[in-house]
């Protein structure tokens, strides 16, 4: 059974940085994708960043390009989301997710992902 456990997050002043971690266990292939999504009250869940575990190729949502960095360890067990220059509009619940398939049409589409972490709150105050 695939399990994702998140850590990190919290509250920071605008302009600050936070790092999220997502540790996967129970998976049987390393050629999947892991992504970070976020959702704030009244809004749709938004794809933030995605990484291919096998090749390390990354994709980012337009709102975070140049500020957030997704990375993984060599085994593909842990994926991080480094968030710099945080803005109040980045405030949301953040979720990591892992795909079951080894090819995704849209790497930032939540419906492409099957396994989800428990979520962690990120707050950037002005």
């Amino acid at each position: 059974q695939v399990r994702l456990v998140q850590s990190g997050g919290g509250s920071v002043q605008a302009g600050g940085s936070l790092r999220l971690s997502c540790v996967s266990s129970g998976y049987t292939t390393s050629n999947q994708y892991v992504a970070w999504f976020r959702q704030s009250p009244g809004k749709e869940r938004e794809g933030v960043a995605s990484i291919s575990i096998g090749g390390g190729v990354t994709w980012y949502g337009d709102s975070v390009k140049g500020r957030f960095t997704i990375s993984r360890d060599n085994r593909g067990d842990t994926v991080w989301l480094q968030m710099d220059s945080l803005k109040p509009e980045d405030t949301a619940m953040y979720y990591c997710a892992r795909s079951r398939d080894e090819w995704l049409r849209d790497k930032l589409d939540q419906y492409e992902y099957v396994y989800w972490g428990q979520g962690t709150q990120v707050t950037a105050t002005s």
Side-chain angles (χ1 to χ4, degrees):
Q1 181 178 352
V2 178
R3 186 174 179 227
L4 276 62
V5 178
Q6 298 177 219
S7 61
S11 183
V12 68
Q13 284 194 325
S17 298
L18 288 171
R19 189 167 90 151
L20 305 180
S21 299
C22 176
V23 179
S24 302
S25 62
Y27 60 91
T28 58
T29 176
S30 297
N31 293 321
Q32 296 156 329
Y33 295 79
V34 173
W36 289 94
F37 294 85
R38 67 186 183 187
Q39 188 168 22
S40 50
K43 292 189 176 180
E44 300 253 334
R45 189 167 291 187
E46 174 190 10
V48 174
S50 176
I51 188 166
S52 62
I53 296 301
V57 182
T58 58
W59 293 261
Y60 292 94
D62 289 341
S63 61
V64 305
K65 281 179 183 175
R67 299 188 298 121
F68 291 13
T69 304
I70 189 170
S71 60
R72 87 240 195 269
D73 66 358
N74 288 337
R75 285 169 50 92
D77 292 337
T78 304
V79 171
W80 298 277
L81 183 69
Q82 178 66 39
M83 303 180 292
D84 298 320
S85 301
L86 281 160
K87 304 175 181 179
E89 50 264 45
D90 294 319
T91 296
M93 186 70 76
Y94 282 70
Y95 299 89
C96 67
R98 192 174 183 112
S99 70
R100 183 170 52 202
D101 296 335
E102 297 183 0
W103 182 85
L104 305 182
R105 182 182 61 83
D106 183 344
K107 280 70 171 174
L108 294 177
D109 181 350
Q110 61 173 316
Y111 297 106
E112 299 269 23
Y113 293 84
V114 175
Y115 309 105
W116 290 82
Q118 79 276 18
T120 186
Q121 179 68 35
V122 170
T123 302
T125 58
S126 57

